[in-house]
Amino acid sequence: MAEFRQWRETDRVYLKDVVPLDTPYNVALEISSFCNLSCVYCAHSTKHGQYEGNMTDELIDKILHDLSEFPTKVKKVNLFGFGESLCHPKFPEIVGKVNKAGVADAVEFTTNGILLTRDKIDEMMENGGVQTIRISLQGIDGWAYRKFGGRNIDFEQFLSNLKYLYEHRGNMKVRMKVADIALKDVPEGEERFMDLFGGIADSIYIEHILPIYAGMDYDKIDKDINKDVLDGR
C-alpha cells in the first residue's frame, strides 16, 4: 500500500543558509505549455493569455549545454511548468536527452497522466526514465473528469495504463494526488481513492485546492475554498 504523504520533500535545504550558490539546485523546463484538460480550478480553463507551444529541439539543446557550464550538477531538472509535459510529441526523446547530458542528479516531471499510454511509458523507460513522476488526478471516475477536468476519458483504460506504469517503473517513484473537491461529495470518497490508487503508487495524497489564479471565481467551484484560506489552511 502506498505511503500517504504530501508531494513536498521534508528534508529541504533553506536557501538563506547556503546562498550564494555557484550552481542552481533545481531547474524547471516547461517543454510544453499546452494542456489537454481544462480543470475548473486552473487558469487553463480560462483565457489566460499565455503563449501555447512546445519547446524546440534547438532551445532544449541550448539549455542543456548551458547547464553543463555550471561547476557542478544541478540537483534536479523538472520537465514541467504550467502545461502538460506529455503534450510535447518528443517527450520520451527529451527525457533521454536530459539523462544523456548528465547535468542533473535527478530528473522528474508532473503530469495528469492521461497521455501515459503503454507505448509512451515503454519509450520513456527506454530513454532512461525519470527518478520521480507525479500524477495529478482529477477524480476517481469518468464523471469527475467531465466535471472537474472538462474532458471525457476512458477511466478504466486510464487506470489500466497507470497500473502498467507502476508495474514497469523500475527504480522510478510514482506519486499520485487528487483534488479534495473531487472527493467532497462522493460517498466514502477518500476510502475509494485509496483503494483505487493505493496499490499502484509509491505515495498518494489529497490536495487542498486554494485560490491562486487571478481572475477566477473560486466561489463558483466550491464555496468553502476561500473560507479555507481565511481559516489559515
Side-chain angles (χ1 to χ4, degrees):
M1 178 60 71
E3 175 188 9
F4 189 82
R5 54 160 290 180
Q6 63 178 346
W7 285 17
R8 181 176 299 224
E9 303 294 346
T10 56
D11 58 345
R12 297 162 69 90
V13 174
Y14 290 98
L15 287 177
K16 68 181 179 62
D17 296 331
V18 294
V19 291
L21 299 173
D22 61 9
T23 302
Y25 278 173
N26 302 329
V27 173
L29 305 185
E30 187 176 33
I31 60 174
S32 180
S33 57
F34 289 113
C35 190
N36 55 337
L37 289 181
S38 296
C39 297
V40 294
Y41 46 80
C42 176
H44 264 294
S45 64
T46 68
K47 294 182 179 179
H48 52 82
Q50 176 172 315
Y51 166 79
E52 290 186 314
N54 291 319
M55 192 175 284
T56 64
D57 292 341
E58 292 76 16
L59 182 54
I60 293 170
D61 291 342
K62 181 182 186 305
I63 291 170
L64 294 177
H65 172 269
D66 290 351
L67 290 178
S68 71
E69 298 288 294
F70 283 113
T72 59
K73 291 183 180 181
V74 300
K75 295 183 180 299
K76 184 186 302 180
V77 166
N78 189 357
L79 297 174
F80 172 73
F82 182 56
E84 167 55 54
S85 302
L86 291 171
C87 283
H88 198 300
K90 294 184 176 181
F91 179 80
E93 180 182 324
I94 294 169
V95 169
K97 278 188 174 185
V98 179
N99 284 328
K100 186 176 180 180
V103 295
D105 292 330
V107 183
E108 63 179 40
F109 73 106
T110 301
T111 174
N112 59 44
I114 293 173
L115 298 176
L116 275 174
T117 62
R118 296 189 177 201
D119 287 345
K120 189 73 70 176
I121 293 166
D122 289 342
E123 289 179 50
M124 180 177 67
M125 299 308 290
E126 288 168 4
N127 278 278
V130 297
Q131 277 62 49
T132 303
I133 176 173
R134 295 179 171 86
I135 300 173
S136 179
L137 304 164
Q138 308 310 316
I140 56 175
D141 55 27
W143 175 85
Y145 272 80
R146 288 191 298 274
K147 180 177 181 180
F148 299 107
R151 177 173 175 178
N152 291 315
I153 70 167
D154 183 338
F155 188 78
E156 293 304 317
Q157 184 60 57
F158 175 60
L159 197 60
S160 176
N161 289 341
L162 295 184
K163 290 178 180 177
Y164 183 85
L165 170 70
Y166 187 70
E167 291 167 355
H168 295 80
R169 70 192 187 283
N171 295 324
M172 181 171 61
K173 295 294 184 184
V174 177
R175 297 183 177 177
M176 299 183 187
K177 59 93 171 170
V178 69
D180 57 348
I181 60 172
L183 304 179
K184 185 174 181 179
D185 297 321
V186 179
E188 300 181 340
E190 293 188 13
E191 291 78 5
R192 289 174 60 189
F193 165 62
M194 294 178 187
D195 287 344
L196 274 176
F197 298 99
I200 58 173
D202 295 295
S203 68
I204 56 176
Y205 189 63
I206 299 172
E207 179 184 45
H208 301 296
I209 298 300
L210 299 176
I212 61 172
Y213 296 113
M216 294 189 64
D217 187 353
Y218 285 89
D219 284 329
K220 290 183 178 179
I221 301 168
D222 186 285
K223 61 183 177 57
D224 291 327
I225 290 181
N226 287 306
K227 180 177 177 296
D228 287 339
V229 177
L230 294 176
D231 288 344
R233 173 171 286 170

